[in-house]
Amino acid sequence: MKETLERLWNEYLLDECAEIDTDEERSLTERTAELHKKAIALLNREQQEAVEKYVDALCDIEALFVKKAFIIALS
């Protein structure tokens, strides 16, 4: 069952959940982009790379938690 749910998540739902289709999602996406630009402008190249890696790690762990919640909820 877990393998089936993981496959469903990886092959279908991940893309579906990433679609931006509400005003709230568009607004948050725009706000995030603006804040990112402002933060990057304040940093030197080394700091920018460190922040980018940090943000990537946060996104990775959040995605993992969402997938885990999906699998647990349907198990």
Side-chain angles (χ1 to χ4, degrees):
M1 173 80 160
K2 182 178 177 186
E3 287 180 24
T4 301
L5 292 173
E6 285 188 17
R7 191 166 164 210
L8 176 64
W9 178 262
N10 292 330
E11 294 179 11
Y12 177 72
L13 293 175
L14 181 61
D15 290 335
E16 292 292 317
C17 292
E19 288 183 15
I20 299 169
D21 52 9
T22 68
D23 289 338
E24 180 181 23
E25 292 167 346
R26 281 186 214 51
S27 176
L28 287 171
T29 301
E30 290 171 8
R31 182 171 176 240
T32 301
E34 289 172 16
L35 290 170
H36 180 263
K37 284 181 188 178
K38 288 179 183 179
I40 291 300
L42 297 171
L43 305 172
N44 66 38
R45 187 72 182 143
E46 183 180 349
Q47 293 167 329
Q48 289 174 9
E49 290 175 9
V51 168
E52 293 294 340
K53 288 179 183 179
Y54 172 70
V55 170
D56 288 346
L58 284 176
C59 290
D60 290 345
I61 193 69
E62 181 182 14
L64 184 63
F65 288 152
V66 170
K67 178 181 173 182
K68 182 179 176 182
F70 169 78
I71 292 170
I72 290 171
L74 296 178
S75 293

